[in-house]
Amino acid sequence: LGNLMVPNRQLPLRYKLGPLLGRGAFGSVHLGLNELNGELFAVKKIQLDPNQANTRFNIDALQGEIKLL
């Protein structure tokens, strides 16, 4: 169970993290269930280590991926 503030929404999104859908270069993707309205959506879980040299590159790449969505 988690809470997430989503832009352009009036209320925080309450969600349950579901099963793993897949893995990629930056982390894993799970099914998410919006507990308020039953909508299903994808949740990307990532881990960034601020001590790694390539962290800035990974953040930039993730921002580019988000813009595509």
Side-chain angles (χ1 to χ4, degrees):
L1 174 66
N3 289 305
L4 176 69
M5 293 301 293
V6 179
N8 302 323
R9 291 197 186 233
Q10 299 291 1
L11 301 172
L13 176 68
R14 288 179 32 98
Y15 69 94
K16 282 190 179 178
L17 194 62
L20 177 70
L21 298 175
R23 294 191 188 279
F26 295 112
S28 58
V29 178
H30 292 259
L31 183 66
L33 170 67
N34 180 332
E35 291 188 317
L36 299 176
N37 65 15
E39 282 183 332
L40 297 175
F41 59 97
V43 177
K44 187 162 201 169
K45 291 174 60 176
I46 61 169
Q47 287 186 336
L48 293 175
D49 183 351
N51 297 318
Q52 286 185 341
N54 64 345
T55 296
R56 182 74 245 163
F57 171 79
N58 288 341
I59 291 171
D60 291 342
L62 283 167
Q63 287 175 333
E65 182 178 313
I66 290 167
K67 287 179 184 176
L68 288 175
L69 299 175

